[in-house]
């Protein structure tokens, strides 16, 4: 095989990985602050994908343009869910939170099944088969746009947490729950805001994923698992870690598909997860707790 | 042994349990095949719930990958029976051995490298997913096309090869559940059981008073894995087919932990009550939907999800501890 193929597959893996990384970033932000593991993450992703599909099918709106409105819808959804559903569970044990979010996942997945049926849906844009030639590389146009958008959204979120007062307040909640309450921060509202922001990442990522893959209602758990793997490999709670983990997993999956067989790429992904959990449980970019 | 079994059971509870058990024993004479299948499903969940509860309810280790033991158990016994004609009763020992080995590896890695809490849960998912994809490519057992046990129309049930009618599987599943409850009752009241509960409440403190936490956590994983693998053997011989996408899936792991959490974690009767309520709810919904003539795929599950959500919001400890208090019983719910 010529080297070109490896490079092409690697670049494609990086770009897809960035989008998955953005989805995982949502999980990381939510866990890092609210300390709740969002087991409905994949289902929220499929909801966002269906929103993109429907907007494209009925109004002809491009998912890349609809990325921000869909992120907005998911923000409201996430905010409301944290505010009224999850907040009473903050101090309850993990398994209790787990059942709650599994229930949410069941409702979302089957709600989608009722509305859209079991058939796979996708978005076919006019530029679906376009590509750029960069030297020996042939880069898929859709994936390039999606990868760039993922970086932009992640950068905006990073800037928000780093440089705004609200972002600083949220980080304070993450660092010290009691301390944040003592200095008068409205913790439940900030938690809801964080969950909303995490859900907004999912919304943006979902809109772009609709361009890359088909969507069916039962796809949720596999997205949830993928997000877990990425976040743990990158470091739970680390924002650059989520993107880096996404890239790593994207490249590994693409390479496994090339060298071995596409259906077995999940095995390599989970093997990496096990290795990271055992030898660097804080993740590649994480700090030790 | 028998003395210890009944010594700390209050007389009223013992009477209630006996009546309950007797009713279950004679049910097949009055029930049709449909009701029998529902009850088999209930016992399957009560049994697996009991097995999972050892790890989570007794020792506080959240496993979300128990499907791996179901799958390993099912495949081992099914392959031994189909390819070599070995009875599932003997195959069960091989199944347990393999599950114990697998559980020991997962437990050893996790506890040796201090993988705990959410991370431990995700490690267990990772192993189950790994097995799922591995079996998808394992052509000796059919790969993703699945593995099928030989079936024909049985006029009589053959207990030795587990080929037969629902009534045999009914008594088998009932027996397994009762045995699991007795085993758990004995374990939780033993020295090991107290060590487990100490680890669950405060692992640091348990270590400080000299409990070898690594060994006892590993023991819990191994026992739970062995018990779950038997449920896998049951699954294989009852349904007569195995698909990696089906037996190793995350959904299988999740469905078997719902009953114990819903019923009451760490209690003996909780998983049983949870299995009755959840399976009962699901079947009632199916019947109600059919009676109403509604045929919308997914509608039933949405309703099921809403019920789950409401109950876990209102009764975070599960139904059994709440019911226990309402019944005015003293002490801690068992």
């Amino acid at each position: 095989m010529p080297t070109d193929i490896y490079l092409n597959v690697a670049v494609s893996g990086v770009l897809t990985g960035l989008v998955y990384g953005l989805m995982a970033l949502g999980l990381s932000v939510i866990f890092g602050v609210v300390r709740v593991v969002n087991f409905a993450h994949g289902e929220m992703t499929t909801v966002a994908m269906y929103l993109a599909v429907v907007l494209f099918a009925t109004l002809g709106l491009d998912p890349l343009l609809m990325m921000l409105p869909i992120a907005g819808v998911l923000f409201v959804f996430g905010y409301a869910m944290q505010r009224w559903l999850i907040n009473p569970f903050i101090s309850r044990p993990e398994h209790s939170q787990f059942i709650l979010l599994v229930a949410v996942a069941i409702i979302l997945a089957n709600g989608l099944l009722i509305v859209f049926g079991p058939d796979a849906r996708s978005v076919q844009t006019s530029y679906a088969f376009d590509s750029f030639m960069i030297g020996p590389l042939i880069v898929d146009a859709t994936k390039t746009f999606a990868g760039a958008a993922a970086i932009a959204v992640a950068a905006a979120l990073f800037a928000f947490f780093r440089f705004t007062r609200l972002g600083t307040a949220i980080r304070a909640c993450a660092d010290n729950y009691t301390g944040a309450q003592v200095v008068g921060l409205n913790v439940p509202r900030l938690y809801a805001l964080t969950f909303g922001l995490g859900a907004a990442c999912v919304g943006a990522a979902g809109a772009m994923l609709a361009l890359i893959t088909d969507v069916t209602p039962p796809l949720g758990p596999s997205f949830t698992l993928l997000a877990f793997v990425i976040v743990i490999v990158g470091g739970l709670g680390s924002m650059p870690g989520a993107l880096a983990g996404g890239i790593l997993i994207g490249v590994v999956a693409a390479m496994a598909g090339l060298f071995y067989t596409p259906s077995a790429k999940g095995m390599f992904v989970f093997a990496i997860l096990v290795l990271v959990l055992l030898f660097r449980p804080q993740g590649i970019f994480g700090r030790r707790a | 042994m028998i003395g210890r079994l009944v010594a700390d059971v209050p007389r009223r509870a013992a009477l209630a349990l006996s009546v309950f058990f007797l009713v279950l024993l004679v049910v097949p004479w009055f029930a049709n095949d449909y009701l029998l299948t529902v009850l088999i499903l209930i016992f399957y969940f009560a049994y697996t719930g009991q097995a999972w509860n050892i790890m989570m309810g007794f020792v506080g280790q959240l496993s979300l990958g128990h499907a791996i033991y179901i799958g390993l158990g099912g495949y081992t016994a099914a392959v031994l029976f189909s390819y070599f004609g070995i009875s599932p009763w003997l195959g069960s020992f091989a199944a347990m051995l393999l599950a114990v080995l697998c559980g020991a590896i997962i437990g050893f890695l996790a506890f040796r490298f201090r993988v705990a809490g959410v991370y431990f849960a995700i490690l267990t998912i990772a192993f189950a997913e790994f097995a799922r994809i591995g079996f998808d490519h394992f052509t000796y057992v059919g790969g993703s096309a699945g593995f099928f046990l030989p079936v024909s129309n049985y006029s009589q049930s053959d207990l030795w090869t587990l080929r037969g009618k629902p009534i045999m599987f009914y008594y088998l599943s009932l027996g397994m559940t009762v045995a699991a409850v007795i085993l758990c009752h004995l374990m939780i009241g033993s020295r090991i059981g107290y060590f487990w509960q100490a680890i669950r409440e405060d692992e640091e403190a348990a270590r400080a008073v000299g409990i070898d936490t690594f060994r006892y956590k590993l023991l819990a994983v191994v026992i739970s894995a062995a018990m779950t693998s038997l449920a896998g053997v049951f699954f294989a011989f009852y349904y007569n087919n195995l698909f990696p996408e089906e037996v190793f899936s995350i959904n299988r792991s999740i469905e078997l932990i719902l009953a114990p959490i819903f019923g009451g974690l760490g209690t003996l009767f909780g998983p049983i009550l949870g299995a009755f309520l959840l399976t009962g709810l699901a079947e009632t919904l199916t019947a109600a939907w059919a009676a109403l003539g509604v045929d919308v795929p997914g509608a039933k599950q949405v309703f099921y999800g809403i019920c789950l959500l409401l109950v876990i919001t209102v009764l975070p400890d599960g139904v059994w501890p709440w019911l226990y208090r309402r019944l005015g019983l003293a002490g801690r719910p068992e």
Side-chain angles (χ1 to χ4, degrees):
Chain A
M1 265 187 273
T3 355
D4 296 13
I5 296 184
Y6 304 130
L7 270 175
N8 278 323
V9 170
V11 169
S12 166
V14 168
L15 295 174
T16 317
L18 278 169
V19 179
Y20 285 128
L22 179 62
M23 174 185 71
L25 183 62
L27 189 74
S28 190
V29 164
I30 292 169
F31 182 82
V33 178
V34 190
R35 293 273 141 195
V36 165
V37 182
N38 183 16
F39 276 94
H41 209 69
E43 279 73 13
M44 284 161 59
T45 310
T46 46
V47 167
M49 288 173 81
Y50 271 107
L51 281 176
V53 167
V54 166
L55 284 171
F56 185 78
T58 54
L59 303 170
L61 294 165
D62 190 298
L64 283 174
L65 295 175
M66 286 298 104
M67 194 178 79
L68 290 180
I70 292 173
V73 172
L74 265 284
F75 174 86
V76 173
F77 177 77
Y79 188 98
M81 194 162 93
Q82 168 65 29
R83 188 81 208 200
W84 288 293
L85 205 59
I86 304 176
N87 206 42
F89 279 76
I90 287 297
S91 52
R92 290 188 193 171
E94 276 156 12
H95 64 263
S96 205
Q97 302 170 352
F98 171 76
I99 292 284
L100 178 77
L101 285 154
V102 164
V104 171
I106 291 173
I107 295 168
L108 287 180
N110 290 288
L112 288 174
L113 186 65
I114 294 174
V115 180
F116 297 104
D119 297 332
R121 301 284 189 99
S122 64
V123 173
Q124 292 299 328
T125 54
S126 55
Y127 53 86
F129 297 105
D130 291 0
S131 54
F132 303 123
M133 303 281 279
I134 307 168
L137 288 177
I138 305 163
V139 187
D140 186 64
T142 310
K143 285 183 179 170
T144 311
F145 297 146
I151 294 178
V153 173
L157 194 67
F158 190 73
F160 168 79
F161 278 120
R162 193 96 218 137
F163 302 117
T164 65
R165 281 178 63 84
L166 208 53
T168 312
I170 289 175
R171 281 190 290 133
C173 293
D175 284 346
N176 192 331
Y177 178 82
T178 320
Q181 281 181 316
V182 167
V183 297
L185 293 176
N186 184 347
V187 178
R189 199 178 74 88
L190 291 171
Y191 272 8
L193 203 63
T194 309
F195 210 104
L197 286 172
C201 287
V202 170
M208 289 181 278
L209 279 174
L211 288 169
I212 298 175
T213 63
D214 293 351
V215 59
T216 56
L219 218 52
S222 58
F223 281 134
T224 307
L225 282 177
L226 190 65
F228 276 140
V229 174
I230 290 171
V231 153
I232 287 177
V233 168
L236 204 47
S238 153
M239 295 188 59
L243 283 190
I247 292 172
L248 179 67
I249 293 298
V251 172
V252 167
M255 284 297 168
L258 182 64
F259 282 102
Y260 189 46
T261 156
S263 59
K265 57 189 178 191
M267 258 173 107
F268 291 87
V269 169
F270 284 108
I272 290 190
L273 171 71
V274 170
L275 290 178
V276 167
L277 274 176
L278 296 180
F279 296 109
R280 201 176 158 77
Q282 72 272 38
I284 294 168
F285 283 80
R287 287 170 298 176
R288 222 179 225 298
Chain B
M1 184 90 171
I2 302 287
R4 232 186 77 205
L5 198 57
V6 292
D8 46 346
V9 180
R11 189 161 295 162
R12 266 199 314 170
L15 192 69
L17 276 177
S18 319
V19 171
F20 184 51
F21 183 63
L22 278 176
V23 168
L24 289 177
L25 269 185
V26 298
V27 153
W29 275 282
F30 307 104
N32 54 14
D33 270 5
Y34 167 70
L35 189 64
L36 226 47
T37 7
V38 174
L39 283 168
I40 292 171
L41 203 59
I42 289 174
F43 291 136
Y44 168 80
F45 285 126
Y47 175 83
T48 50
Q50 210 68 253
W52 179 82
N53 199 27
I54 294 175
M55 261 178 83
M56 181 62 205
F58 294 174
V59 204
Q61 306 297 314
L62 177 58
S63 164
L64 296 181
H66 257 47
I68 196 171
Y69 308 122
I70 300 270
L72 282 178
Y75 268 104
T76 311
V79 163
L80 286 176
F81 178 68
S82 301
Y83 289 178
F84 305 102
I86 297 171
S87 159
W89 292 92
L90 302 175
S92 290
F93 288 99
M96 281 198 285
L97 192 71
L98 208 63
V100 162
L101 209 65
C102 175
I105 292 171
I106 297 175
F108 176 82
L109 289 173
F111 304 143
R112 184 80 192 71
F113 290 88
R114 304 267 165 84
V115 180
V118 177
Y119 292 90
F120 178 75
I122 288 166
L123 185 75
T124 59
I125 299 181
F127 271 97
E129 284 292 298
F130 197 83
R132 176 177 66 82
I133 304 166
F135 271 78
D136 254 346
H137 294 82
F138 191 11
T139 43
Y140 179 69
V141 296
S144 55
F147 187 87
F148 298 89
L149 280 93
V151 274
S152 57
N153 236 336
Y154 302 105
S155 53
Q156 263 189 317
S157 297
D158 184 356
L159 192 60
W160 180 244
T161 57
L162 286 188
R163 312 278 70 202
K165 290 191 251 181
I167 187 159
M168 176 181 71
F169 289 101
Y170 173 81
Y171 281 116
L172 187 64
S173 59
L174 177 61
M176 284 167 76
T177 309
V178 171
V181 172
I182 292 175
L183 181 68
C184 288
H185 177 72
L186 288 175
M187 284 195 298
I188 200 69
S190 73
R191 193 177 162 81
I192 296 169
Y194 286 109
F195 285 169
W196 281 345
Q197 291 168 77
I199 294 170
R200 179 188 69 195
E201 295 303 324
D202 191 336
E203 196 173 335
E204 287 300 312
R207 217 196 328 262
V209 296
I211 297 173
D212 186 347
T213 56
F214 177 82
R215 174 192 286 183
Y216 287 101
K217 281 198 294 187
L218 202 59
L219 187 67
V221 176
V222 163
I223 294 175
S224 180
M227 284 173 70
T228 311
S229 74
L230 290 185
V233 177
F234 181 86
F235 186 95
F237 282 79
Y238 179 57
Y239 288 109
N240 296 311
N241 59 63
L242 291 165
F243 293 92
E245 295 293 330
E246 164 85 21
V247 281
F248 286 107
S249 82
I250 175 94
N251 293 331
R252 182 108 299 136
S253 297
I254 289 176
E255 71 181 14
L256 75 80
I257 80 171
L258 292 179
I261 297 184
F262 193 83
L265 210 58
T267 64
L268 289 179
F269 198 62
I272 301 172
L273 187 66
F276 267 95
L277 290 175
L278 285 176
T279 313
L281 174 69
E283 291 302 326
T284 312
L285 284 175
T286 310
W289 251 244
L292 290 170
V294 184
D295 186 24
V296 183
K300 190 188 104 182
Q301 283 86 344
V302 167
F303 198 75
Y304 180 85
I306 292 171
C307 291
L308 198 62
L309 195 133
L310 287 179
V311 173
I312 198 70
T313 307
V314 180
L315 304 173
D317 295 330
V319 178
W320 176 233
W322 168 80
L323 194 67
Y324 196 86
R325 284 193 299 273
R326 290 317 291 277
L327 290 172
L329 298 169
R332 288 187 57 175
E334 199 183 78

